[in-house]
Amino acid sequence: MKTLIKDVDIVTLDEKGTVIRGGAIAIDGAFLVAVGKTPEDFAPDTTIDGTNHVAVPGFFNAHCHASMSLVRGYAEDLPLDRWFNERVWVAESALGPEEVRVGAQLAACEMIRSGTVAFNDHYFYMDHVAEVVEASGMRASLTWCQFGTGKEVGVDLEGALAFAERWNGKAEGRIRAMLGPHSPYVCPPAFLREIAALAKEKGLGLHIHLAESGEQVSRSLATHGVTPTRLLEDTGVLDVPTIAAHALYLSDDDVAILARRGATVAYCPITYMKLAMGPGDVPRLLRAGVSVALGTDGPASNNDMDMKEAVRFLTLLQKLACRDAEALAGDASLRVATQAGARAMGFPEAGALEAGRAADLVLFDFDKPHLVPRHDLVANLVHAAKGSDVSHVFVAGKLVYADGTILTLDEEKIRAEAERAAFRMVSRDLTVLRAYTS
Ligand SMILES: [Zn+2]
C-alpha cells in the first residue's frame, strides 16, 4: 500500500529540527520513503490533500494504565495516599478481565483521536489489552503490573513472563512486552532482584514507578538505607532498559545513576498537578543526559489521555517551576512526547519524519481560528493546537483515523459498553465499601 500526502506542512523533528512548508510525504508499506519532495517514480494507491494541515510524528504515551479509563472521574480532589487507598485500589479490586478489555478499548479510541500512535501500559489482565492493541492498529509496550512479590495479586512472575513471551513482537511487530514490578515501595528488594535477573536473562525491559513523593524517599532511606533510585541500581533493575515513571524526588546522585544507566523517566505533568505531587525538574534531567519521555498516566489522575494537552502542560509547568521562560524551548517538548518515548518503548525507527523511518504520523488540521497565523508551526503545535485538531493518524503506514472516524475500532459500541462496564464496577465497589464499613 502506497500513500502520498501532498501540499502538507511538515514538522519533521529530525536532528536539525527541519520544518518544511508545502511538502510531500510518501509512505510505502510501514515506512516513509520520502519526506519533502515526491519521489519521481512514486505511484500512490491513495493521495491525501494536506493543504492547511501540519504533519508531525505521532505521540508515544510513555506511561499509562489505559483500562483505568473506567475510573475517570471516580477519585477526585484527594491527596496521593488517600487517592490510592480510598478510591483507586478499592475500585481496582472490583476490576475483572472484561473491564480491562473495555477500558483499554475506550482508551485506545481516545488516544487515537488525539494523535497517539503508541502507549506504554502497566496493568492487569494484559492479554486483553494486547488483543485491543492488535485490533486497534496501534503500537504498545505492555507489562503485567506486579504488587509485592507478585504472588498476592494477579499473576506471579512466571505468569508475567509467560505473557511477555506470548506477545513480544506480535501484531506485525507493533507490540513489545516488558516486566513490571509496581515500584520499590510496593515490591521488596529480593523480588526486585529476582525480576531484574529474569528480565536480563530473557532480554526484556522493565517498567516501574519511582520516587513519586518525598515521603517515599525518606521511608526508603529509613528502611533500606538508600534512596529508591539507588535501590533500583543495587537490585539490578537498571541493568536492563528501564522506564521509570515519575522520578520526581531525586538527589544529584540519583540523577547521575539514571543518566549512567540509560534509564528513561516517564514524566506525567497532569498527574503531578492534580495530585499536588510537585513539578520535578525536567531540564535538570535533560542536562544530565537522562532520557525523558512523556506520559498521561491513568485517567484516574489526569483525567484524559490527550498527549497534546500533556505536551503543553509539560512545557508550561517546567517554565513555571524553573522560573525560566526559556525552559523546554522550541520543539523540545515535542521530542520528549515522540522520539524519546519511541526509543524507550522499543520502536527506535519511529519518532521523526525522515525517509527510512516508521510511518507513524499525525496530521493536525490547522484550518482553525486558534491556529492562525502560522508564524511558527512548532509554537502553534506546542501551545495552541488541541488533540481534537488531529485529522489523520497513521501507524506503521496504516491509516487508523481519518476525519472524525476511527477505522479500526467500533467507537460508538465501545462508548456504550464502557459506560455499562464502569457502572458495574462501581456497583461492585460499593459492595466492597459496605463490607469495609459494616
Ligand atoms: Zn502509574
Side-chain angles (χ1 to χ4, degrees), residues 63-65 122 209 212 245-246 297-298:
H63 178 69
C64 69
H65 315 283
H122 195 263
H209 296 87
E212 295 152 293
H246 316 315
D297 213 342

Side-chain angles (χ1 to χ4, degrees), residues 60 264 291-294 335-345:
F60 278 71
T264 295
S291 167
V292 180
L294 184 69
R335 290 176 187 274
V336 167
T338 55
Q339 50 202 228
R343 266 196 312 271
M345 289 162 63

Side-chain angles (χ1 to χ4, degrees), residues 145-156:
C145 173
Q146 296 195 285
F147 283 87
T149 60
K151 294 188 180 72
E152 296 84 353
V153 188
V155 296
D156 58 11

